[in-house]
Amino acid sequence: MSQTLVPTASAEGTALPRSRRLLRAVAVAACLPYLTLKAAWLMGSRVGIPADSPLLDHGTGLLVANVLTVLMDCAVIVLALLLTRPWGRGVPAWLLTAPMWVATGLLAPITAGYPLQLLVHALGGSAGGTSGGTDEPFLHTWVFAVVYIGFIVQGLALGALFVLYARDRWGHLWRGRMRDLPAGPAGTAQRVLAVTAAVVALFPLTLRVLWACGGTAGLSAGAVAGRGSDFHVLETLYALFLLAAVTGGVLLAFRRAPALAVRVPLALAGIGSGAVACWGGWMAAVALIPGGDSADHPTKLMFLTYAGQMIVGLLVAAVGARFLAARSAGAVRRPVT
């Protein structure tokens, strides 16, 4: 038989809805300002960087960070193509979900935090720590606006593309409500992971709440001096993401909310775990860059907070992964009617 039941690549590409093509174009375009700025810095330009910026004290560390962040933003473009091109359908689940988890984790706090910071500024708050203080400006204000607005657009467009893609490919895994799941709690491994995450989260959560409320215990001298409304907004968000991650993990493991839609704890666990793990890892990595003022180097308690966040995020991500794997296996075993 000459006909094929499998659509050709060109046919699939033509059939792609206009909304998805638009979202892909928006995601790619939103990367260009950041990539342009980073490329200029890599070529030696200091556009947007004040002459006395602490960034200039890091030398090789700054170069490595710029190269890494360029690769990360290029990955957003790759993901946008993967989510909308025919070849993206054949990508193994882990090869897509892992980078999407990282991208979501890095972009979610910015998407939520930057508008809140602007709102607080409008109500009389001070930028403070965002720019490193008035004596040592970190970057010109316009750089933050260009970069963060681009990140927000990237996050929203990429997130929408992933939801549409995941709905088509794996939508059956999060349909229904918690009461529709098999009776009883999940497996022992999921419960252990969820409880461990909740216990470990107590340490970073306590410090994040303390810092958000104005406490200084455990903060470096530079962090204390650079605090402003932006600092308190971010600390509050980190605490909320920790709570979201733990709540999502516990709900998936113990299933104590029968009326709740399955996608709610999955979203809490996925976004929350990505945010706390990826930002904990990023802040720890940045802190290891040599150079700069010793007063700005994180204290041991700050490092432990970052490490605690990473552990919590990875544990909750493991709960979500095991939940989806178990439900996928159950869907495969279920007879077709």
Side-chain angles (χ1 to χ4, degrees):
M1 188 166 66
S2 59
Q3 277 189 313
T4 176
L5 297 179
V6 180
T8 64
S10 59
E12 286 191 34
T14 303
L16 185 70
R18 181 180 300 176
S19 59
R20 300 198 193 192
R21 295 199 300 269
L22 178 60
L23 285 170
R24 178 178 63 197
V26 169
V28 173
C31 296
L32 298 181
Y34 184 74
L35 290 175
T36 301
L37 192 60
K38 288 288 184 174
W41 290 348
L42 286 171
M43 290 186 292
S45 173
R46 292 294 177 260
V47 59
I49 304 177
D52 55 350
S53 172
L55 273 178
L56 303 178
D57 298 333
H58 293 292
T60 303
L62 177 60
L63 176 65
V64 172
N66 282 334
V67 171
L68 178 60
T69 49
V70 164
L71 293 176
M72 291 167 65
D73 217 38
C74 287
V76 172
I77 298 176
V78 174
L79 285 171
L81 294 173
L82 187 153
L83 293 169
T84 53
R85 298 299 299 167
W87 50 266
R89 292 290 179 179
V91 171
W94 67 268
L95 192 57
L96 169 62
T97 54
M100 271 303 308
W101 179 74
V102 173
T104 301
L106 291 174
L107 293 173
I110 295 174
T111 302
Y114 188 60
L116 283 175
Q117 290 175 337
L118 293 179
L119 176 62
V120 173
H121 292 176
L123 297 175
S126 60
T130 296
S131 60
T134 56
D135 294 332
E136 296 185 60
F138 189 71
L139 290 170
H140 289 306
T141 304
W142 66 265
V143 176
F144 287 101
V146 169
V147 169
Y148 286 168
I149 290 173
F151 283 161
I152 291 171
V153 175
Q154 289 176 39
L156 294 176
L158 195 64
L161 285 173
F162 179 72
V163 168
L164 293 170
Y165 177 102
R167 183 192 64 186
D168 295 342
R169 186 171 174 180
W170 305 302
H172 60 286
L173 298 181
W174 65 69
R175 291 195 184 105
R177 300 190 177 276
M178 298 297 287
R179 62 169 167 259
D180 300 326
L181 299 173
T188 302
Q190 288 187 46
R191 298 198 298 273
V192 170
L193 289 169
V195 171
T196 304
V199 173
V200 174
L202 292 175
F203 177 76
L205 179 62
T206 299
L207 284 174
R208 291 297 190 185
V209 171
L210 174 67
W211 296 338
C213 295
T216 60
L219 287 175
S220 65
V224 172
R227 289 179 308 161
S229 61
D230 289 354
F231 173 88
H232 297 293
V233 168
L234 289 178
E235 292 303 322
T236 301
L237 279 177
Y238 291 138
L240 291 176
F241 278 116
L242 276 164
L243 288 173
V246 170
T247 300
V250 169
L251 286 173
L252 290 176
F254 290 92
R255 305 175 185 179
R256 299 298 187 186
L260 195 65
V262 172
R263 62 179 176 271
V264 174
L266 274 175
L268 289 174
I271 297 174
S273 66
V276 298
C278 295
W279 274 99
W282 179 256
M283 287 184 286
V286 170
L288 294 175
I289 297 177
D293 191 338
S294 59
D296 294 327
H297 293 173
T299 64
K300 291 181 180 180
L301 277 179
M302 294 173 72
F303 266 119
L304 287 174
T305 299
Y306 305 155
Q309 285 187 200
M310 293 172 61
I311 293 170
V312 171
L314 292 172
L315 289 172
V316 173
V319 172
R322 294 184 70 91
F323 174 89
L324 291 172
R327 201 165 197 214
S328 178
V332 171
R333 289 193 298 267
R334 190 177 298 118
V336 178
T337 58

